Amino acid sequence: MEPATSSHGLDELVACHDCDLLHRREPLERGERARCSRCNAFLYRRPKDMLHRTLAYTAASLVLFLVANAFPFMEFKIAGRTQVGHMITGAAELWGEGYAFLSFMVIFTSVIAPLFMILCLGYLTAPLIMGWRPPGMITVNRLIGHIQPWSMMEVYMLGVIVSVIKLGQMADIVLGPAAWAFAGLMFTLTAAIAIYDSGVIWERLDADAGKHHAAKRDRRLTGEATS
Amino acid sequence: MITAAAAGLYVCHDCGKLSRVADLPEHPDCPRCHAALHLRKPNSTTRAWALLLAAYVMYIPANLLPVSTIVYLGHGEPDTIFSGVKVLFQTGDVPVAALLFFASICVPMLKMVGLTWLLLTVRFRWMWRPKDRTVLYRLIEIVGRWSMLDIFVISILVALVQLQALATIHAGAGAVAFCAVVVLTIFAAASFDPRLMWDLLDEERP
Ligand SMILES: [Zn+2]
Ligand SMILES: [Zn+2]
């Protein structure tokens, strides 16, 4: 058997990443998900309008991210004195106290990883919608999967709520514009990540490779015909 | 019923593409995304055990050392994870106390004990309910991030309560150890390969 035809056969199969069982790919309805018949792991899906919806939520996330990092997050009022905290104040304060590891983990999971997700999702979806291929698509599509578990905004938001309740006993807490923007960001970025499907990007790359291959074959065939 | 490995196929861990073992060189890269290909995660159990043991070791200072100290009117009160939760229960913030109890005490324990058990079942080739064990593994992966809650709370308190003589909150060395436990268990869970649990079953039923 020719290698090309044997690799074509592989495209019709999909393996479960949790139990390794092979399944034949079956066409799905829009919005449907395929699951492993043995361990129920998610296999693949056919999302509705993935690129446009991901980009919409990503664009909203970028605006909210900028607001969340530019404006005061919380004000703490006690005995006539006011302390203002920004998004990065906690990490800066921990750094100042000599806790470099804690400082890094806080800033990485609450600021850097979410920003990275926003930039990567925008970098992939915006050009693809306009019909051109951004350079480094493969690397960016892989990186998204590796960074995503470290974006922990929803946990941070819960931390804000716990802090407000804890400090509320000893002082007045006023939430600033950044806190509201961050709450919104939590929803928009979670939605963008949930809608984004790396499989769609891989299929596009496969389709490009297929076209490239066919074009080369056609050139060769027409070349042979004219000579 | 045949697995990809039994069919002689690599599954790319990053993009899911299948490629034939026979078509590729000895240490192959994925033809689509260039990630390194393996039939199973390399040295999966050794790595997971090493990271897990490190997490157990760090768990001791994480619980013995103070995670934060509240200095109120010149009088310092160090809090460990456990004493912090206990104080919240006593002052009547039961929902917050329950939340922190779950995120800071239950979740790390569940992760470490759960992963230890999964590794033991693979080590001693126990066949017990692979589907339920796979669900447990997914749960461990999903729930792990929530233990960062206490670290975030400390960072926010440290940022806001800096009123020199009146009231100040400092982080403690226990928080560093606790954060290390969270990170180590996340890496340990990622190193474990759930397909090892199913391989035993597939060997038994050729
Ligand atoms: Zn499966
Ligand atoms: Zn790949």
Side-chain angles (χ1 to χ4, degrees), chain A residues 1 3 6-7 9-11 13-23 25 37-42 73-76 78-79 81-86 89-91 93-94 97 99 101-102 105-106 109-110 138 142 146 148-163 165-167 169-170 173 198 202-203 205-206, chain B residues 1-7 9 11 14-20 23 32-36 39-40 70 72 88 91 93 96 99-100 131 134-135 137-138 145-167 169-173 175-176 179-180 183 186-187 193-195 198-199 201-202 205:
Chain A
M1 212 194 288
S6 68
S7 74
L10 291 185
D11 291 344
L13 298 173
V14 59
C16 171
H17 50 82
D18 277 359
C19 79
D20 211 32
L21 192 66
L22 275 178
H23 297 257
R25 266 183 200 275
S37 62
R38 179 158 79 165
C39 77
N40 203 34
F42 165 73
F73 204 98
M74 271 197 259
E75 277 175 23
F76 175 75
I78 187 167
R81 295 175 61 179
T82 301
Q83 180 94 25
V84 179
H86 284 77
T89 314
E93 204 63 54
L94 287 171
E97 287 190 12
Y99 295 107
F101 172 63
L102 280 183
M105 284 309 297
V106 169
T109 52
S110 64
I138 295 174
R142 274 180 67 194
H146 289 285
Q148 194 222 311
W150 298 101
S151 167
M152 302 187 185
M153 293 162 307
E154 70 280 21
V155 186
Y156 190 90
M157 196 64 221
L158 192 62
V160 171
I161 294 166
V162 169
S163 308
I165 295 172
K166 267 189 155 183
L167 290 176
Q169 299 168 335
M170 58 197 280
I173 303 288
S198 63
W202 296 128
E203 276 165 27
L205 282 161
D206 281 350
Chain B
M1 293 272 275
I2 186 168
T3 61
L9 298 173
V11 187
D14 276 16
C15 77
K17 188 178 173 63
L18 298 170
S19 11
R20 280 183 211 288
D23 289 351
R32 179 158 69 185
C33 77
H34 318 307
L39 286 175
R40 294 291 175 263
I70 306 175
Y72 196 66
L88 276 172
T91 53
D93 275 314
V96 179
L99 192 67
L100 279 176
K131 193 173 169 179
T134 308
V135 171
Y137 175 69
R138 272 180 225 142
R145 56 205 282 108
W146 291 94
S147 344
M148 279 296 281
L149 182 63
D150 226 3
I151 301 295
F152 291 144
V153 171
I154 291 166
S155 86
I156 294 163
L157 296 187
V158 164
L160 281 177
V161 190
Q162 292 296 333
L163 304 160
Q164 282 75 36
L166 194 60
I169 296 181
H170 296 292
V176 181
C179 191
V183 174
I186 288 177
F187 279 124
D193 196 331
R195 293 171 295 186
W198 295 90
D199 284 346
L201 238 80
D202 297 328
R205 189 178 44 200

